[in-house]
Amino acid sequence: MSKIHIPTPLRQYVGKQSTVDVKAATVAEAMSALLSQHPDLRRHLYTEDGKLRAFVNLYLNDEDIRYLQKEETAVKDGDNISIVPSIAGGASICHPEQSEGSWFLPLPLVKC
């Protein structure tokens, strides 16, 4: 089994757990297993067309999957997958992807 580390703002959707164990061969399968166990999490991680949201970063054992094989990156027993939210802030015009229901880590308002 692999562990998916859940950031604090999303723990309310996984029964307040900091990690969730999943059995999977790829990051995509691991995320699918996570969403099967905790379906309320889907809208916070994926767009309506099933793509990982732009502000959601996934790391496999401290390596950003964007620099590996993305969601097709192989996972083995004992691996750790971390969901890491991008830090955002500033005026809403600077961050149009920020919307109700998102879980950005707020920063002070800045001019663009």
Side-chain angles (χ1 to χ4, degrees):
M1 291 213 143
S2 300
K3 275 190 192 311
I4 299 181
H5 296 266
I6 310 297
T8 304
L10 294 180
R11 290 181 187 165
Q12 63 184 315
Y13 303 104
V14 296
K16 303 196 187 290
Q17 300 174 83
S18 61
T19 62
V20 175
D21 291 329
V22 295
K23 191 170 191 166
T26 65
V27 170
E29 287 179 15
M31 295 303 292
S32 180
L34 172 67
L35 296 176
S36 291
Q37 293 177 45
H38 305 283
D40 291 339
L41 197 54
R42 180 178 303 280
R43 71 182 182 98
H44 298 283
L45 300 177
Y46 291 90
T47 61
E48 288 183 21
D49 61 350
K51 295 186 188 215
L52 196 62
R53 292 191 180 275
F55 58 85
V56 175
N57 301 299
L58 298 178
Y59 287 79
L60 177 66
N61 300 325
D62 300 325
E63 289 195 55
D64 190 332
I65 67 163
R66 292 177 295 182
Y67 302 107
L68 300 170
Q69 287 80 45
K70 299 183 181 171
E71 290 186 84
E72 293 310 311
T73 301
V75 174
K76 59 186 181 306
D77 282 350
D79 278 347
N80 290 292
I81 299 169
S82 299
I83 300 171
V84 180
S86 294
I87 297 176
S92 60
I93 195 163
C94 295
H95 302 284
E97 70 278 6
Q98 186 170 359
S99 64
E100 185 178 329
S102 66
W103 43 279
F104 284 88
L105 302 177
L107 294 176
L109 203 58
V110 295
K111 284 189 171 184
C112 296

